[in-house]
Amino acid sequence: MNNTYSKLWLLAKWLFVALLIGLPIVFTQWYRQYLKLPETITLATGTESGQYQQVGKILGQELTQRYGIKVNQLITDGAGENVLNVIRGEADIAFYQRGTVELQDNPDHIRVGRLTSIGSLYSEVVHFLVQPDHTETPISQMQNFRIAIGSERSGTELVARYLLQQFHMDDQVQFINLSLDQLRNAFINGEIDAAFITAGVQAPMLEQLLKPEPDGSTACVLTSIPFTEALEKKSGFLESYLIPKGMYDQSLGGAPDEPIATLAARAQLITSEAVSVRLIELITTVLNDPEFQSRARLNELLIGGTNFAQENLDFPLHTGAQHIYEPKLKPLLNVDFVEATEGIRSFVVSLLIAAFFLIKWIRDYRNRSQEHKLDRYIKKLLVIEHDQKFLDQNDQTDDRKRLQDMLDDVTDLRQQAMKEFTAHEINSDLAIACFVSMCHALSDKINAKISRQRLDARLKQIAAQIEKPTSVN
């Protein structure tokens, strides 16, 4: 039995050592795996002639050149569709126009609680274009106008419907969903009277719309939107914006010759909270690189810096973006790794605790076993002590033989007990020291009795020698 528990004790110690050595190795491998970047990601942009795709193309090139991540461009109709792509997991990151979720009817009952922001990029400006003969017609008097509002679920459609609703014209005009590349021909052919376009002022399609025809005629003209300050305060997501004179080439027929008062919403990059923290850290690093901002012509972000990036966001910042904007918040370990290994860490900790208590139980059992053996030796010693009381009680008996046997028993008992313990245990265990002291005390007592009986026997011999001559006389 003792041999079995000795083997268990040895096995438990080796198990504990193996855990201590193996855990750091396994931990390192896991951590490297979670820090590994994806080979390919999907970026939802917009139409081919919009600024979303222009910025997305440059962002994809930067991610590929710097980190070897291939970026697949997902061409969409705009911000509304991009939100759904991220929620459904069809895109890892996407361009988004502020206010899109608020304005969307959300017929599919899709929850957006898992959406997060990476940061603002630039202002998407509401461009209101009209036929040249309607430049003086106020929006409030455009009854029965055919107004193009972009593709379905695009940011342009959502903002256009909202603005016309504010002017109480949403039920007095005809909404026409047209893609951006169809607008110019629609204006030329007289199919539409006006159009809303929500895009960055540097979007390539705008100059295409404003340029004159070969005969010098103009397809459409850019005009102001009235009451922009009031609309800004009412909406909560739109901002007043002034397109300065000269923003568009004055040689273009539809370019305004004076500043244009309008509204704008921030263009942002969004993702899901489930996307890798490490990936979002790298994307945010690229977005905040002045060289990238210059290439992508993100002038507002270049001038405003991280303050502009963190302002007016519809969703909370992704953890990876927070690590870049606020480096002090970055933990020692990758957040994805910590969350993903929570169950494993609980198991390992439980295993270590179980190993600890197993070792403790085996050690305590051994100690209890040793104490039981010592108790057995003490009981035998007490029996010897009890028996020796009845010896050497008078001068008429000779108990030396029996006392000598008891003395030998005490010596044997002490030697047997000492073989059961290590030198460390003998030095540190008070019970063992007490047992040894009892053995010495009993040995001294028995030796004293043997010595007294020997002395008595010797004295009797001397007395007999003295009395012998007297009896002869």
Side-chain angles (χ1 to χ4, degrees):
M1 190 69 174
N2 183 47
N3 187 41
T4 300
Y5 281 100
S6 296
K7 291 181 178 179
L8 284 175
W9 168 256
L10 183 62
L11 178 62
K13 288 196 292 186
W14 277 111
L15 176 62
F16 189 74
V17 171
L19 286 173
L20 289 179
I21 296 175
L23 282 178
I25 299 174
V26 176
F27 174 84
T28 301
Q29 294 300 321
W30 279 342
Y31 194 58
R32 287 179 178 174
Q33 182 65 30
Y34 278 94
L35 287 181
K36 186 178 179 181
L37 296 172
E39 296 180 358
T40 304
I41 63 171
T42 300
L43 170 61
T45 55
T47 58
E48 294 185 359
S49 55
Q51 195 164 349
Y52 280 172
Q53 192 183 51
Q54 182 182 11
V55 176
K57 181 178 179 181
I58 299 173
L59 177 60
Q61 292 172 351
E62 289 289 331
L63 291 174
T64 302
Q65 291 174 4
R66 297 189 188 193
Y67 311 113
I69 302 173
K70 182 181 178 182
V71 180
N72 293 328
Q73 304 282 340
L74 179 61
I75 298 175
T76 69
D77 288 326
E81 185 179 348
N82 288 353
V83 169
L84 299 178
N85 287 328
V86 173
I87 293 173
R88 293 167 179 164
E90 297 170 3
D92 299 295
I93 55 177
F95 287 92
Y96 170 79
Q97 177 183 298
R98 189 183 181 208
T100 299
V101 169
E102 182 179 343
L103 297 175
Q104 207 161 213
D105 292 335
N106 198 16
D108 297 331
H109 304 290
I110 296 176
R111 299 178 63 183
V112 297
R114 294 178 64 84
L115 291 177
T116 56
S117 292
I118 301 177
S120 295
L121 303 177
Y122 60 92
S123 294
E124 288 205 287
V125 180
V126 180
H127 295 77
F128 186 51
L129 300 110
V130 297
Q131 289 279 5
D133 53 350
H134 291 307
T135 55
E136 301 298 328
T137 306
I139 294 180
S140 58
Q141 296 180 18
M142 291 185 174
Q143 289 84 356
N144 300 318
F145 269 40
R146 297 160 298 173
I147 301 179
I149 56 174
S151 303
E152 291 185 9
R153 286 185 172 175
S154 65
T156 294
E157 179 192 41
L158 296 172
V159 170
R161 288 183 180 276
Y162 172 78
L163 290 177
L164 290 172
Q165 183 181 16
Q166 299 307 307
F167 285 105
H168 307 289
M169 296 294 292
D170 54 316
D171 58 349
Q172 299 185 47
V173 299
Q174 180 183 353
F175 294 115
I176 300 176
N177 290 111
L178 290 176
S179 61
L180 297 178
D181 55 0
Q182 295 175 312
L183 287 180
R184 184 173 176 83
N185 288 334
F187 271 119
I188 293 172
N189 297 330
E191 298 172 1
I192 57 175
D193 301 298
F196 281 97
I197 299 175
T198 305
V201 291
Q202 301 184 64
M205 72 179 113
L206 293 170
E207 292 193 353
Q208 292 293 325
L209 282 169
L210 297 175
K211 72 179 183 179
E213 288 292 297
D215 60 3
S217 62
T218 302
C220 56
V221 177
L222 181 63
T223 63
S224 293
I225 296 176
F227 312 118
T228 55
E229 292 185 2
L231 291 169
E232 175 184 6
K233 294 185 180 299
K234 290 178 68 175
S235 69
F237 60 89
L238 293 172
E239 306 171 33
S240 296
Y241 192 94
L242 190 68
I243 301 176
K245 178 182 178 180
M247 174 61 71
Y248 302 110
D249 189 350
Q250 295 298 295
S251 64
L252 301 177
D257 56 3
E258 59 183 16
I260 296 295
T262 184
L263 296 158
R266 294 285 178 90
Q268 305 168 7
L269 207 60
I270 64 170
T271 185
S272 169
E273 65 178 8
V275 174
S276 164
V277 172
R278 177 62 176 160
L279 174 62
I280 302 304
E281 286 178 355
L282 299 180
I283 293 174
T284 309
T285 300
V286 172
L287 293 177
N288 287 275
D289 184 351
E291 183 178 346
F292 164 77
Q293 295 167 356
S294 297
R295 283 188 60 200
R297 302 170 73 182
L298 302 177
N299 297 329
E300 291 172 291
L301 182 58
L302 181 61
I303 296 171
T306 57
N307 289 332
F308 180 87
Q310 297 178 76
E311 288 175 352
N312 301 324
L313 300 175
D314 277 1
F315 312 110
L317 277 173
H318 190 280
T319 303
Q322 286 181 334
H323 294 170
I324 302 303
Y325 296 129
E326 302 177 46
K328 293 182 180 179
L329 298 179
K330 186 173 182 179
L332 181 62
L333 294 178
N334 180 273
V335 176
D336 293 335
F337 175 79
V338 173
E339 293 180 353
T341 58
E342 182 177 357
I344 297 176
R345 285 185 288 109
S346 299
F347 172 75
V348 171
V349 171
S350 300
L351 189 62
L352 288 173
I353 293 173
F356 170 78
F357 280 108
L358 175 62
I359 294 173
K360 187 176 184 297
W361 179 83
I362 294 174
R363 185 180 62 186
D364 291 344
Y365 182 85
R366 292 185 64 189
N367 291 337
R368 287 195 301 270
S369 300
Q370 292 170 352
E371 290 170 3
H372 292 162
K373 295 174 186 175
L374 190 60
D375 289 343
R376 188 168 66 254
Y377 292 129
I378 291 175
K379 288 177 182 179
K380 290 182 179 180
L381 190 66
L382 291 175
V383 170
I384 296 173
E385 185 176 21
H386 177 269
D387 292 344
Q388 62 86 30
K389 290 194 307 179
F390 302 102
L391 302 178
D392 192 31
Q393 295 293 315
N394 54 67
D395 297 338
Q396 307 302 320
T397 60
D398 186 357
D399 299 319
R400 285 179 293 172
K401 178 66 171 63
R402 293 184 61 189
L403 288 169
Q404 185 62 51
D405 291 339
M406 287 183 177
L407 183 61
D408 292 340
D409 289 341
V410 171
T411 301
D412 293 339
L413 197 61
R414 182 171 61 245
Q415 290 179 347
Q416 291 174 13
M418 292 302 99
K419 290 178 180 179
E420 299 290 337
F421 305 102
T422 64
H424 173 72
E425 291 171 331
I426 293 173
N427 290 329
S428 61
D429 196 334
L430 294 177
I432 298 175
C434 181
F435 171 75
V436 173
S437 296
M438 290 175 63
C439 289
H440 289 324
L442 184 55
S443 295
D444 291 343
K445 187 181 293 185
I446 295 174
N447 272 321
K449 287 188 175 185
I450 292 174
S451 298
R452 186 166 56 250
Q453 288 209 4
R454 286 178 178 173
L455 181 59
D456 290 344
R458 186 62 179 160
L459 290 174
K460 287 179 181 180
Q461 290 178 358
I462 294 173
Q465 293 293 329
I466 293 173
E467 291 175 358
K468 189 173 183 180
T470 303
S471 61
V472 173
N473 290 331

